[in-house]
Amino acid sequence: MKLSVITCLIFTLLFTSYQTKQNQTYKEGVVIDVSKLYAQNFLAFQDKVNQLVDFTAKNKSDILISELQKRVSETRLAYKKVEFLFDYNQTPYNRTFINGAPFTKYEEDFTGGQVLNPNGLQTLDLLVNDDNVATKLHQIQSVATDLKSRVDLMASIHIPLNTNKTSIIEALRSGIISVFTLSLTGFDTPGSSNAINESHVSLETMLKNFEYFKYELKPEAKSKFKAIKHLYLKGIGLLESNPDFDSFDRMVFLKQIINPIYESLLDFQTLNGIDTKPFKMHAQNYASRNLFAKDFLDTNYYGYFTYLPLNSQASITLGKKLFEDSSLSKDGSMSCVTCHNPKKGFTDGSEKSPTNQPHVFGIRNTPTVINAGYSTRFFWDMREYNLEKQVAHVVDNSQEFNTSFEVMADKLRLNKEYVQLFENAYKGIDKVTINRRSISNAIAAYVNSLQSFNSSFDQYVRNETNNYSERAKRGFNLFAGKAGCASCHFMPVFNGTVPPFYTDSESEVLGITKGLDSINPQKDTDLGRAVNGLKVDNQPFLENSFKTVTLRNIDLTAPYMHNGSFKTLEEVMDFYNLGGGAGMGLDIKNQTLPKDHLDLSKQEKEDIIIFLKTLTDTTHLVNYSVSKMAH
């Protein structure tokens, strides 16, 4: 009999728990201490959830809103004491049921394809801080009760924690990234302003767990241990000294606390003789030393199932030539460069994508392919899961290449240079080297190589330069704080791929309009992700939902949004400042962007734009020449 996914999950966790208990006597020191503290904190979190449920079960007229808000806050703070280890060990379950975004979800892994209403801690934070909270008490009780059932399950099968020294360090490093990219940006607290306080608790908890290593220190690691402890304490002090969400200096915190802790933990791990091989499969490059290092994320993670790893230099060289070659299209009128022009930031500068017919355009704007590899879904409507497969949508599209891989391969086999390039890259993999998979892989490898992490912003936060303007610093702090931009455009790629593990990419419902007319706004009618042809996305709550694309090189890629309706960054800022379509009075179902106005001043909007322009990196844009295949 086929077991359900949830049954398999429970069985696996029960078996893991049994193994942990059997092996407990063979563990000592830091692993035992961390496991004990985790169990203590998780049970305390469970108790807070139970108390919250009991409180919401009272006669609704007897509930004091301030007391309800306090209890939700206490529950969230209790969760923060287990978050870095729980999220590391139970990532999908956590994001689905405990602390995921407060939106409707379609979940295949745990519910067999059921649609889940907004749930978990973020939803509670949003509900209890709503202006009309008194009308939402029944919903709050329902969400709290559901949360209790999930936490009770985890408490029964997840404790004691099955861990080791390597995974503890890895969880600490991911935890510090989570504090900066999710907690301090307000992503975790969509309804309240408790981000600073929650980050404070997270740092205190991580420090307490790290301190257990003091009983198992090698002499050469002692000074690094003290330095890391000092960094944690310094970070806690910075959070204590300025608990105001809007004015907290995130740039200082990044440079003085986040990056130094992330780097120092790796050094400590090496000095203390702890294995540095990644224990958890995710997109972070374990050897990376900085959130904005060029190698912080490993694009090979996203190309795991490709024909050949996308980092093959032979494939990249071939892919660049294919990318530029217009003779591969049916009538020789288009190449990849037609829409992804390196002189325009690998876009085309048009409102909508050009086609193979003069003066005829596609239905959407052309996004840049720079940093496209850092994603698990592709195209504006997220209809494809793989960079290789993305190529096929262009090849057989009647308005684009309008051909087939078979015809394309026949053309390529007539050219000696191409034959040799394909031999260099793919010889021995298949019976013939020039085929659908090798063509797609080569183009995907080239696109994957277009990585952009050497902007003036990157150089500044990596301490490679001190030349960075005060206005850009203010703009970054607004972007990562008050303006809420970083709660959707996640660092370091500034796209929708979710930290700290970067294994899922998001889309958003923004209520995009046809141009920026705040007096008589008109809703764009493109249904986006809901009509991308994938059964999993054929959901009403995904109507008008579009991929969150990177903001790197945004100064070069106008016009903006999926419909190209905003001509300038000033128009984009005005749109967000007004709260998107819903904020302008349109009826936008399931808008994920808060409809409240941001109340950004003219100077604040200008500062954010100045910061965005510092994300420009012309590494792949200089000395570019377009070639054509010789016959």
Side-chain angles (χ1 to χ4, degrees):
M1 182 176 66
K2 186 177 180 181
L3 296 175
S4 68
V5 175
I6 189 66
T7 302
C8 291
L9 171 70
I10 295 172
F11 177 79
T12 301
L13 291 173
L14 283 170
F15 182 69
T16 301
S17 176
Y18 171 78
Q19 282 188 314
T20 303
K21 291 176 181 177
Q22 294 299 306
N23 295 330
Q24 198 75 8
T25 56
Y26 298 100
K27 296 181 180 179
E28 57 182 70
V30 62
V31 173
I32 285 291
D33 290 333
V34 167
S35 296
K36 285 182 178 178
L37 179 61
Y38 181 82
Q40 174 186 322
N41 285 339
F42 199 95
L43 293 175
F45 168 50
Q46 181 187 26
D47 186 54
K48 285 295 183 183
V49 173
N50 289 336
Q51 291 180 34
L52 177 63
V53 171
D54 290 343
F55 182 77
T56 59
K58 289 182 178 180
N59 187 307
K60 300 301 181 291
S61 61
D62 295 335
I63 290 181
L64 293 174
I65 301 304
S66 60
E67 179 65 19
L68 177 61
Q69 292 170 335
K70 177 185 175 184
R71 286 176 181 266
V72 168
S73 177
E74 290 175 346
T75 304
R76 286 191 53 83
L77 290 174
Y79 165 75
K80 289 294 170 177
K81 292 185 177 182
V82 300
E83 180 183 37
F84 85 97
L85 283 168
F86 182 70
D87 192 35
Y88 175 86
N89 285 277
Q90 299 291 339
T91 308
Y93 196 88
N94 182 39
R95 302 298 168 86
T96 303
F97 297 117
I98 308 298
N99 195 42
F103 308 125
T104 305
K105 309 176 183 77
Y106 178 84
E107 179 53 54
E108 289 187 302
D109 292 340
F110 298 112
T111 66
Q114 292 182 4
V115 173
L116 295 176
N117 291 324
N119 61 11
L121 291 165
Q122 287 193 35
T123 300
L124 287 171
D125 183 81
L126 191 64
L127 290 171
V128 300
N129 291 285
D130 190 276
D131 291 338
N132 300 312
V133 60
T135 66
K136 300 180 181 295
L137 295 178
H138 179 75
Q139 185 181 359
I140 291 169
Q141 181 185 8
S142 176
V143 173
T145 302
D146 177 73
L147 177 64
K148 170 180 163 54
S149 69
R150 310 299 182 181
V151 173
D152 287 348
L153 172 64
M154 287 292 104
S156 67
I157 64 179
H158 176 58
I159 300 173
L161 181 68
N162 186 25
T163 190
N164 57 49
K165 294 176 188 177
T166 297
S167 61
I168 291 169
I169 295 291
E170 191 172 15
L172 285 168
R173 295 186 83 207
S174 295
I176 201 71
I177 296 298
S178 183
V179 164
F180 190 71
T181 58
L182 298 180
S183 290
L184 286 176
T185 60
F187 173 87
D188 241 7
T189 48
S192 69
S193 56
N194 294 332
I196 307 298
N197 194 22
E198 291 193 3
S199 299
H200 180 282
V201 171
S202 293
L203 251 65
E204 282 188 328
T205 301
M206 286 187 277
L207 170 58
K208 191 169 184 177
N209 279 271
F210 175 71
E211 284 186 307
Y212 287 132
F213 282 100
K214 66 185 176 183
Y215 301 115
E216 299 182 31
L217 274 180
K218 291 188 175 183
E220 54 267 36
K222 287 183 178 180
S223 62
K224 185 61 67 174
F225 175 85
K226 291 179 181 178
I228 293 172
K229 182 177 178 179
H230 173 74
L231 286 169
Y232 274 118
L233 291 171
K234 182 180 178 181
I236 291 167
L238 288 174
L239 292 165
E240 286 177 339
S241 65
N242 186 8
D244 180 67
F245 181 86
D246 287 350
S247 62
F248 185 79
D249 196 328
R250 290 161 177 82
M251 179 65 86
V252 167
F253 203 75
L254 171 65
K255 287 171 66 72
Q256 295 186 9
I257 308 300
I258 299 299
N259 280 333
I261 288 178
Y262 187 77
E263 178 179 27
S264 296
L265 282 169
L266 179 61
D267 290 338
F268 171 79
Q269 190 172 358
T270 302
L271 290 168
N272 212 40
I274 302 170
D275 187 8
T276 57
K277 184 179 180 180
F279 194 75
K280 176 184 176 73
M281 186 176 179
H282 56 77
Q284 282 186 42
N285 177 2
Y286 202 90
S288 178
R289 307 176 67 81
N290 187 298
L291 174 59
F292 290 96
K294 297 176 183 178
D295 65 347
F296 176 75
L297 293 177
D298 183 3
T299 54
N300 284 331
Y301 172 86
Y302 305 104
Y304 189 75
F305 295 106
T306 52
Y307 187 63
L308 194 72
L310 298 181
N311 60 355
S312 165
Q313 188 55 54
S315 298
I316 293 169
T317 300
L318 169 59
K320 182 177 185 296
K321 189 173 180 63
L322 293 169
F323 192 88
E324 301 166 357
D325 195 340
S326 61
S327 68
L328 297 181
S329 61
K330 182 177 182 178
D331 59 5
S333 65
M334 295 190 80
S335 70
C336 299
V337 172
T338 304
C339 296
H340 300 287
N341 189 335
K343 296 180 180 179
K344 299 179 181 180
F346 283 89
T347 61
D348 52 46
S350 301
E351 182 176 305
K352 303 288 175 62
S353 299
T355 69
N356 53 28
Q357 303 171 44
H359 311 299
V360 176
F361 295 89
I363 63 171
R364 294 179 184 137
N365 178 258
T366 301
T368 182
V369 291
I370 290 184
N371 295 321
Y374 298 101
S375 181
T376 58
R377 300 284 289 271
F378 300 94
F379 293 105
W380 278 109
D381 59 13
M382 303 182 80
R383 66 184 180 271
E384 194 52 79
Y385 290 84
N386 187 294
L387 263 181
E388 280 185 346
K389 293 180 180 178
Q390 182 178 2
V391 176
H393 293 261
V394 177
V395 170
D396 60 17
N397 189 311
S398 62
Q399 290 192 319
E400 297 183 74
F401 278 25
N402 192 28
T403 185
S404 68
F405 281 103
E406 291 73 23
V407 172
M408 190 183 291
D410 287 342
K411 285 184 179 181
L412 293 168
R413 292 188 190 107
L414 296 175
N415 182 275
K416 292 182 179 180
E417 182 181 1
Y418 269 126
V419 169
Q420 187 59 56
L421 287 171
F422 273 94
E423 285 285 309
N424 293 343
Y426 301 105
K427 185 177 181 179
I429 298 178
D430 214 326
K431 292 181 180 180
V432 292
T433 56
I434 304 179
N435 58 50
R436 178 190 184 99
R437 291 296 302 275
S438 61
I439 295 169
S440 296
N441 181 265
I443 295 174
Y446 173 63
V447 170
N448 191 64
S449 75
L450 299 175
Q451 300 163 14
S452 170
F453 292 95
N454 201 34
S455 66
S456 60
F457 167 80
D458 296 305
Q459 294 170 19
Y460 177 69
V461 296
R462 293 196 300 253
N463 299 316
E464 296 168 1
T465 180
N466 291 320
N467 186 22
Y468 199 69
S469 74
E470 290 301 316
R471 293 200 69 180
K473 293 176 188 176
R474 290 202 304 267
F476 172 77
N477 278 321
L478 287 162
F479 179 94
K482 177 182 176 181
C485 313
S487 64
C488 292
H489 291 277
F490 302 114
M491 295 175 273
V493 186
F494 296 98
N495 67 357
T497 304
V498 186
F501 306 115
Y502 302 92
T503 55
D504 294 292
S505 299
E506 290 189 341
S507 63
E508 302 287 343
V509 179
L510 304 175
I512 302 297
T513 53
K514 298 178 180 179
L516 187 68
D517 184 348
S518 60
I519 306 301
N520 298 297
Q522 295 184 50
K523 175 182 173 182
D524 185 271
T525 56
D526 190 335
L527 293 178
R529 189 173 171 183
V531 292
N532 66 10
L534 299 177
K535 181 180 178 181
V536 68
D537 288 343
N538 185 18
Q539 308 292 338
F541 61 87
L542 290 177
E543 290 180 0
N544 311 115
S545 187
F546 294 91
K547 181 179 178 177
T548 304
V549 297
T550 184
L551 299 182
R552 287 182 173 273
N553 280 350
I554 194 170
D555 191 34
L556 308 176
T557 59
Y560 306 106
M561 303 302 186
H562 74 274
N563 58 1
S565 64
F566 299 157
K567 304 297 185 292
T568 66
L569 288 174
E570 285 76 14
E571 288 186 347
V572 174
M573 286 306 308
D574 286 340
F575 173 79
Y576 281 110
N577 198 36
L578 292 168
M584 286 188 265
L586 293 174
D587 180 19
I588 307 296
K589 297 177 182 178
N590 302 298
Q591 180 167 305
T592 54
L593 175 72
K595 66 178 181 179
D596 299 328
H597 292 199
L598 295 173
D599 295 325
L600 296 171
S601 68
K602 180 180 178 181
Q603 179 175 315
E604 286 176 326
K605 288 186 286 184
E606 290 175 352
D607 286 346
I608 293 173
I609 292 173
I610 288 172
F611 155 66
L612 290 173
K613 290 183 177 182
T614 69
L615 295 177
T616 302
D617 175 9
T618 60
T619 299
H620 296 283
L621 311 184
V622 295
N623 300 323
Y624 197 98
S625 61
V626 178
S627 63
K628 187 171 182 178
M629 182 176 72
H631 294 281

